[in-house]
Amino acid sequence: MLCQILGQAKKHPSLIPLFVFIGTGASGATLYLLRLALFNPDVCWDRNNPEPWNKLGPNDQYKFYSVNVDYSKLKKECPDF
Amino acid sequence: LTNTSISDAQEMETIWTILPAIILILIALPSLRILYLTDEINDPSFTIKSIGHQWYWTYEYTDYGGLIFNSYMLPPLFLEPGDLRLLDVDNRVVLPVEAPVRMMITSQDVLHSWTVPSLGLKTDAIPGRLNQTTFTATRPGVYYGQCSEICGANHSFMPIVLELIP
């Protein structure tokens, strides 16, 4: 399929921006899906780690992008148990 | 129906691919930032737990003392004049205005959904999972909502009423 795309790009160079944007969008979507599948604590693959959502660190960031909150600098509000 | 007389408009094609793509990216990036901003938790004044059952809600105010109560819909025979049918409940959720409130929502049996449309709130109540939503109401009043996830025979008869007092 890559050869087809390169062939089309050589014949019609005005299609190159189209391939770039569509390619970026598709790979971005796929990569985010992979990130969710592999790193989201709601997803469980490993029998030795059965409930990853129960083992979250208080200072870890699990979101993709955090605007105002710096998770590594959060103060602890609750007592140790 | 082929355009044999128009051909080879490479510059125009390039422009009308790149320009809309740039415009869309300029729209998308701030929107994604706002989307992540809405998910932030900004130091709530207090936390209320909302537990869905078939077919009523339980509210727990456990920050300062232990207030726990059930909220059932008022049956039509018990309505006073001026009450709203299928919307009013026996015990409302009373909250102060201008205070950020954190709601922890879960369910004890099947899926429910805790909704208050006029405050832009809808969070699923999933058994075995704690979902969180925060809101700050700015106007006093009574806000109604209804369970928004099919949960059985009386799914339409388990409303949510928030009473915001100044």
Side-chain angles (χ1 to χ4, degrees), chain B residues 55-56 71-74 85-86 146-147 153-159:
Chain B
W55 289 280
Y56 61 98
S71 178
Y72 284 86
M73 182 187 83
L74 282 181
R85 187 180 74 94
L86 303 186
Q146 293 171 295
C147 175
N154 287 354
H155 154 68
S156 320
F157 308 114
M158 47 182 293

Side-chain angles (χ1 to χ4, degrees), chain A residues 11-15 17-19 21 32 42 53 63-69 71 77, chain B residues 9-11 13-14 17-18 21-22 25 32-33 36-37 39-43 128-129:
Chain A
K11 256 201 299 185
H12 303 280
S14 59
L15 288 179
L18 180 72
F19 292 139
F21 289 119
Y32 186 67
D42 286 338
W53 52 87
K63 291 166 71 161
F64 178 60
Y65 172 49
S66 177
V67 189
N68 284 331
V69 181
Y71 286 90
E77 290 176 12
Chain B
Q10 301 282 21
E11 306 81 13
E13 296 225 354
T14 319
T17 304
I18 294 185
I22 292 177
I25 291 175
L32 283 174
R33 185 172 182 274
Y36 277 91
L37 260 176
D39 204 27
E40 304 233 319
I41 309 294
N42 301 321
D43 196 23
R129 181 185 171 92

Side-chain angles (χ1 to χ4, degrees), chain B residues 29-136:
Chain B
L29 291 178
S31 295
L32 283 174
R33 185 172 182 274
I34 291 178
L35 187 64
Y36 277 91
L37 260 176
T38 59
D39 204 27
E40 304 233 319
I41 309 294
N42 301 321
D43 196 23
S45 305
F46 59 102
T47 303
I48 301 176
K49 300 188 213 47
S50 162
I51 300 163
H53 304 261
Q54 278 177 316
W55 289 280
Y56 61 98
W57 295 93
T58 302
Y59 298 104
E60 297 186 11
Y61 290 60
T62 43
D63 279 347
Y64 309 102
L67 172 64
I68 302 177
F69 60 91
N70 293 336
S71 178
Y72 284 86
M73 182 187 83
L74 282 181
L77 293 171
F78 287 70
L79 289 173
E80 309 269 310
D83 283 346
L84 296 171
R85 187 180 74 94
L86 303 186
L87 281 176
D88 265 315
V89 296
D90 52 2
N91 299 317
R92 296 174 173 173
V93 183
V94 181
L95 297 168
V97 299
E98 301 285 355
V101 176
R102 175 199 272 135
M103 292 294 303
M104 304 293 289
I105 298 160
T106 184
S107 163
Q108 215 219 3
D109 36 43
V110 296
L111 293 178
H112 301 272
S113 185
W114 196 84
T115 310
V116 183
S118 41
L119 292 171
L121 301 170
K122 182 179 290 189
T123 311
D124 281 353
I126 299 167
R129 181 185 171 92
L130 263 184
N131 280 334
Q132 181 181 233
T133 186
T134 44
F135 64 95
T136 308

